[in-house]
Amino acid sequence: MMVDLSVRVGLPGHCAFCMGMAPPPSPWCEACFEALPWNSVACARCAEPLARPAELCGHCLRHAPSFDVTRAPLRYEDTSQALLQRFKFGAQPRAGILLATLFARSREGGLPEVLIAVPTHPRRRRERGFDHSVWLTRELSRQLGVPHQRAWRTRDTPTQRGLTRRARRGNVRGAFHVASELPAHVALVDDVMTTGNTLSALADACREAGAQHVEAWAMTRTPRGI
């Protein structure tokens, strides 16, 4: 179900999606919340949407990523895709707050000791005007009460768009660095997860810095074939 986001994330007391009444303090009504493209049937390791329930997808069985588990509550389609594009390319902070709130309220289990954003290279950050992953990480840090720490992209990798899964993996291998020692349990934050290779490369750097259990957190996850 595609929900019109022209309301620009709503007014106090109204649903951010349909502008109907929303029970306070929720920013959405129950009907719109249930209609979101929830990633309810997915691989436990990489959160790739699956056609039927299974513990792991075929790719994770063959080539397990460096992170241990993925939290990606929404599929990247319809409403969530429009919302993310408003945040990332339209620089609308209210859309980013809503994405982070949806993630925070849908996640389960214990919290990590620190959050780490997937870093953007300085050149791309200047082009876009802000670092969307760092912004989301700070917002999640505020909502969940978990500290955040920076990682660094050591080289400006070409865009992952149009690359095969194998080429994406090679494109980001060794592209990240974590300057200080990390606690045992960390979570990596990004806006959208496609193949997971970028997050896996960052997880490698985190393990070199002392992390033992690494979660991948993505606001949205692309369906198979995108």
Side-chain angles (χ1 to χ4, degrees):
M1 175 182 177
M2 182 67 173
V3 180
D4 182 10
L5 286 178
S6 61
V7 296
R8 292 184 288 278
V9 198
L11 299 170
H14 292 76
C15 175
F17 300 111
C18 72
M19 286 297 289
M21 298 302 297
S26 176
W28 48 67
C29 69
E30 183 176 349
C32 287
F33 183 78
E34 292 180 355
L36 290 169
W38 295 107
N39 190 20
S40 54
V41 181
C43 172
R45 189 73 178 262
C46 75
E48 181 175 47
L50 301 176
R52 60 184 64 89
E55 182 67 20
L56 296 175
C57 68
H59 180 76
C60 284
L61 287 171
R62 295 189 302 270
H63 305 286
S66 296
F67 46 80
D68 298 289
V69 66
T70 297
R71 319 288 184 189
L74 294 166
R75 300 189 306 276
Y76 182 67
E77 59 187 37
D78 299 339
T79 309
S80 65
Q81 181 177 2
L83 188 62
L84 192 144
Q85 289 178 350
R86 286 182 178 274
F87 164 66
K88 187 173 181 177
F89 303 111
Q92 295 186 10
R94 290 184 179 178
I97 291 172
L98 188 55
L99 279 169
T101 303
L102 285 166
F103 182 94
R105 296 196 186 180
S106 63
R107 65 165 304 282
E108 298 177 348
L111 290 170
E113 296 170 86
V114 71
L115 304 180
I116 300 174
V118 173
T120 302
H121 190 272
R123 183 180 68 82
R124 294 181 183 272
R125 188 166 60 246
R126 287 193 297 270
E127 290 173 353
R128 187 170 289 134
F130 78 120
D131 192 321
H132 57 283
S133 294
V134 169
W135 195 100
L136 286 169
T137 301
R138 289 173 174 167
E139 179 60 24
L140 284 171
S141 174
R142 183 187 68 81
Q143 292 194 26
L144 298 174
V146 178
H148 59 89
Q149 184 172 325
R150 291 294 298 266
W152 308 95
R153 189 179 286 258
T154 57
R155 54 189 173 85
D156 188 7
T157 56
T159 179
Q160 298 277 68
R161 294 190 185 93
L163 298 180
T164 64
R165 189 184 287 266
R166 177 178 294 182
R168 286 172 183 251
R169 187 165 58 247
N171 187 41
V172 293
R173 185 179 293 119
F176 301 105
H177 173 67
V178 179
S180 57
E181 186 173 352
L182 292 175
H185 185 186
V186 304
L188 315 180
V189 181
D190 207 356
D191 59 334
V192 59
M193 184 178 187
T194 304
T195 63
N197 288 314
T198 299
L199 284 155
S200 188
L202 180 55
D204 285 332
C206 290
R207 292 191 186 280
E208 292 176 2
Q212 299 174 25
H213 182 77
V214 182
E215 297 186 16
W217 287 8
M219 307 303 102
T220 61
R221 182 63 159 92
T222 58
R224 189 189 301 269
I226 292 183

